[in-house]
Amino acid sequence: MARAGGMTNAVNVGIAVQADWENREFISNISLNVRRLFDFLLQFEATTKSKLAALNEKLDILERKLEVLEVQVSSATTNPSVFT
């Protein structure tokens, strides 16, 4: 009888060890995927900031050109002989 109880206890320990191993593997996979997501987000942020900065520069240039055109239109409206 002692032997059967010892086997049951050994089986229970084996099951517990297996479950612990599976839990650790699951946690490891989750951690790895969280790290990958974090790395992606950092890269995405850097890329997005760079692209937004480039677009902002282009927008600034267009705004300056628009201001020049507005002044030219305003001048032409007040003094049409300048352009004839």
Side-chain angles (χ1 to χ4, degrees), residues 26-67:
F26 177 74
I27 291 169
S28 177
N29 285 335
I30 295 293
S31 296
L32 177 63
N33 286 325
V34 167
R35 180 64 188 171
R36 286 180 180 163
L37 178 62
F38 182 74
D39 290 342
F40 166 77
L41 290 174
L42 286 177
Q43 182 65 34
F44 180 78
E45 178 191 26
T47 302
T48 304
K49 279 184 178 180
S50 173
K51 289 181 179 182
L52 284 174
L55 284 173
N56 194 40
E57 287 179 27
K58 290 178 182 179
L59 185 59
D60 287 343
I61 291 169
L62 287 172
E63 286 174 340
R64 280 188 241 121
K65 287 181 179 180
L66 181 60
E67 287 173 0

